[in-house]
């Protein structure tokens, strides 16, 4: 098995948000960008940002595990895990990469 890294011929674009980004807006933008990258219509992107205070509920999240469910908005996400807090002061990085150009192996990347 070839474990050497594969590099995309076009450099990845980096973007840093200057204001808080609402979670639904970030998801919509990431889905659109990922589709455009897949179709070859946009460059890969690493996007750093902060969200307003919220929880994301992963696929293992159980409603009864959230102690104060009305404290912050809760958004279901397709990632694994339970609940994750996001909020001002916490920098989040989202990667929209074409793994076909990287050997289809996120661990090697």
């Amino acid at each position: 098995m070839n474990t050497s890294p594969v590099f995309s011929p076009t450099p990845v674009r980096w973007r840093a948000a200057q204001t808080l980004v609402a979670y639904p807006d970030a998801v919509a933008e990431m889905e659109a960008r990922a589709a455009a990258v897949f179709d070859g219509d946009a460059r890969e992107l690493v996007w750093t940002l902060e969200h307003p205070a919220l929880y994301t509920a992963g696929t293992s999240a159980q409603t009864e595990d959230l102690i104060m469910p009305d404290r912050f908005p809760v958004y279901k996400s397709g990632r694994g895990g339970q609940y994750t807090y996001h909020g001002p002061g916490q920098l989040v990085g989202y990667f929209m990469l074409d793994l076909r150009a990287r050997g289809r192996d996120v661990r090697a990347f």
Side-chain angles (χ1 to χ4, degrees):
M1 181 166 117
N2 182 3
T3 58
S4 63
V6 178
F7 297 98
S8 174
T10 306
V12 175
R13 181 168 179 244
W14 286 74
R15 181 172 68 191
Q18 301 302 307
T19 59
L20 298 179
V21 179
Y23 186 77
D25 295 343
V27 170
E29 190 165 337
M30 286 187 294
E31 288 175 347
R33 182 59 172 249
V37 168
F38 183 83
D39 291 341
D41 296 329
R43 286 175 47 190
E44 297 174 302
L45 176 68
V46 175
W47 185 20
T48 60
L49 57 85
E50 297 175 47
H51 291 298
L54 62 93
Y55 291 114
T56 54
T59 56
S60 299
Q62 301 295 316
T63 304
E64 61 273 9
D65 291 339
L66 195 55
I67 296 170
M68 297 173 66
D70 298 326
R71 184 170 184 188
F72 303 120
V74 178
Y75 298 95
K76 289 185 178 182
S77 74
R79 65 162 176 76
Q82 296 182 13
Y83 290 102
T84 303
Y85 169 80
H86 300 283
Q90 179 193 44
L91 190 61
V92 179
Y94 291 116
F95 294 73
M96 289 145 276
L97 304 174
D98 186 350
L99 292 182
R100 296 172 300 184
R102 301 176 183 285
R104 295 184 185 264
D105 186 348
V106 73
R107 288 186 180 104
F109 170 71

